[in-house]
Amino acid sequence: MKLKFDGFIIALIAMIILAYIYPNVVEFLDGKFLDGIISVGVALVFFFYGLKLSFDEVKQGMKNWKLHLSVQFFTFGLFPLLVLLFRPLVHTETQEQFWLSFYFLAALPSTVTSSVVMVSIAKGNVPAAIFNASISGLIGVAVTPLLMHFFLEVGEVNVFGELYLGLLFEVILPVILGLLIQPYWGKWAHKYGKALSNFDKGVVLLIVYSSFSESFLNDIFNTIGTTYLATLFISVIVLFFTVYLIILLLVRYVLKFNREDRISALFCGSKKSLTHGSVFSKFLFANNPKLGLFILPLMIYHAFQIFVVTIIAQRLGNQKDERMLTNK
């Protein structure tokens, strides 16, 4: 079995190293230069996101409502509920920071591109994956901040004021504009889908660099030890497998989905979007020097989910091929 090498994960690590060596770039023009580039980049990411959405695919996908409701519940219900179970164990500021970083991860929407690709490799329900991955991102714009504001100390930032105003101009309006232009430029967006995906990743890399630069400049990582990082890594892995196992049991024995729908529910419901997480963190943790720590579990989860789900998807796809050959 041959695994596909993911250069984006290496690029993420490179950005963290670059932020450690050259953190002062983020302070150029009082931080307005990099912030301006990121804001424009984010707006373009979501403009292209709207441009790639197909009304026909969304309309077709709405038919399988049981699957869609299940996936959105797993994404915005199951994940946060699991993390909320550990809230009573939080007593110190460090524990609060640790828990909140995982709750942020849990509140995020599912991935788009990787979910669809993995479902396709595993021979699952691809139209359903496209629908759920696309809708999840749109739902997340409203739901993620709402889930977060119950536990987030926003300081001078008004959650329903400055935060949503930022999301309106950099996320919601660009998506709407993309949707309006989709009938005319949609084919162009799909034709250059790979290039647009690389652009998305480039913006994420800039946000990661900016976030970690701020944290390194404020000497945040020296306040945590190896125990904190080791616990974080283990917790990410445990969270992934716990969610994956619960979803597997639910779709197989409770919801009784067919093979294709089970795969779509598993892959879409257990994944989290680094793109949306990077963008949302810019607003939710505005001016917070510990931003790098808050997105660290998300970055680890992103890398781990790609590695594990790729292996699972390839095995499921091979099993499907073997069955088809046997039937012949």
Side-chain angles (χ1 to χ4, degrees):
M1 180 176 62
K2 186 178 180 181
L3 294 177
K4 189 177 179 181
F5 177 77
D6 194 331
F8 181 55
I9 296 172
I10 303 299
L12 285 171
I13 297 171
M15 282 296 108
I16 297 174
I17 296 171
L18 189 65
Y20 177 76
I21 300 173
Y22 300 109
N24 297 92
V25 176
V26 77
E27 295 182 322
F28 184 62
L29 294 178
D30 294 326
K32 293 179 180 178
F33 178 74
L34 191 56
D35 280 347
I37 292 176
I38 290 173
S39 293
V40 172
V42 167
L44 287 173
V45 164
F46 283 92
F47 168 71
F48 294 138
Y49 178 74
L51 202 59
K52 289 184 284 186
L53 278 177
S54 170
F55 287 107
D56 292 334
E57 288 177 346
V58 171
K59 192 185 300 182
Q60 184 68 25
M62 289 178 69
K63 296 178 181 178
N64 199 345
W65 61 269
K66 187 178 177 182
L67 171 60
H68 306 324
L69 286 177
S70 300
V71 171
Q72 300 314 314
F73 167 74
F74 299 149
T75 303
F76 298 108
L78 176 62
F79 261 101
L81 285 172
L82 284 173
V83 179
L84 277 170
L85 291 176
F86 294 89
R87 179 67 183 177
L89 301 178
V90 175
H91 301 293
T92 67
E93 185 179 344
T94 301
Q95 290 172 348
E96 172 73 21
Q97 170 188 290
F98 185 92
W99 180 86
L100 191 58
S101 67
F102 273 86
Y103 186 70
F104 173 59
L105 162 64
L108 290 170
S110 179
T111 58
V112 180
T113 305
S114 63
S115 289
V116 176
V117 170
M118 297 304 176
V119 169
S120 177
I121 292 172
K123 307 293 193 299
N125 189 335
V126 176
I130 294 171
F131 176 84
N132 278 289
S134 302
I135 294 301
S136 179
L138 297 177
I139 294 173
V141 173
V143 173
T144 299
L146 282 175
L147 289 171
M148 290 297 297
H149 95 278
F150 292 108
F151 304 100
L152 192 63
E153 294 182 8
V154 293
E156 296 180 358
V157 179
N158 185 331
V159 172
F160 293 100
E162 293 181 40
L163 190 151
Y164 274 108
L165 192 63
L167 289 175
L168 175 67
F169 284 104
E170 293 187 29
V171 178
I172 299 172
L173 289 180
V175 169
I176 293 173
L177 182 60
L179 283 168
L180 292 174
I181 301 177
Q182 195 273 339
Y184 309 100
W185 286 11
K187 290 182 180 179
W188 174 87
H190 284 286
K191 181 180 180 181
Y192 295 100
K194 187 175 182 180
L196 295 179
S197 177
N198 289 333
F199 178 81
D200 295 354
K201 292 176 181 178
V203 174
V204 171
L205 291 175
L206 278 179
I207 295 173
V208 168
Y209 169 79
S210 176
S211 303
F212 278 84
S213 291
E214 292 282 359
S215 296
F216 285 130
L217 285 171
N218 288 279
D219 213 24
I220 296 301
F221 285 95
N222 285 336
T223 63
I224 63 173
T226 54
T227 302
Y228 183 102
L229 292 174
T231 306
L232 189 146
F233 270 92
I234 294 170
S235 299
V236 166
I237 295 170
V238 170
L239 177 62
F240 174 84
F241 282 117
T242 301
V243 170
Y244 191 89
L245 180 60
I246 292 174
I247 295 175
L248 179 61
L249 292 174
L250 287 174
V251 297
R252 184 185 291 272
Y253 299 110
V254 179
L255 298 168
K256 297 181 179 179
F257 288 158
N258 60 39
R259 181 187 184 277
E260 288 73 21
D261 286 355
R262 284 202 305 269
I263 290 171
S264 296
L266 273 168
F267 290 179
C268 294
S270 64
K271 302 187 82 177
K272 290 294 180 178
S273 173
L274 179 59
T275 300
H276 286 82
S278 301
V279 173
F280 292 170
S281 68
K282 191 167 77 80
F283 299 104
L284 290 166
F285 304 105
N287 303 317
N288 192 323
K290 296 181 179 180
L291 177 55
L293 288 177
F294 286 117
I295 66 171
L296 190 56
L298 173 60
M299 292 176 62
I300 297 170
Y301 191 94
H302 173 82
F304 189 75
Q305 73 183 8
I306 288 178
F307 176 74
V308 174
V309 176
T310 297
I311 295 174
I312 296 171
Q314 289 181 343
R315 287 182 175 176
L316 288 172
N318 291 336
Q319 288 174 4
K320 179 74 172 181
D321 290 340
E322 287 173 6
R323 288 174 186 171
M324 289 177 66
L325 289 171
T326 303
N327 292 335
K328 286 182 180 181

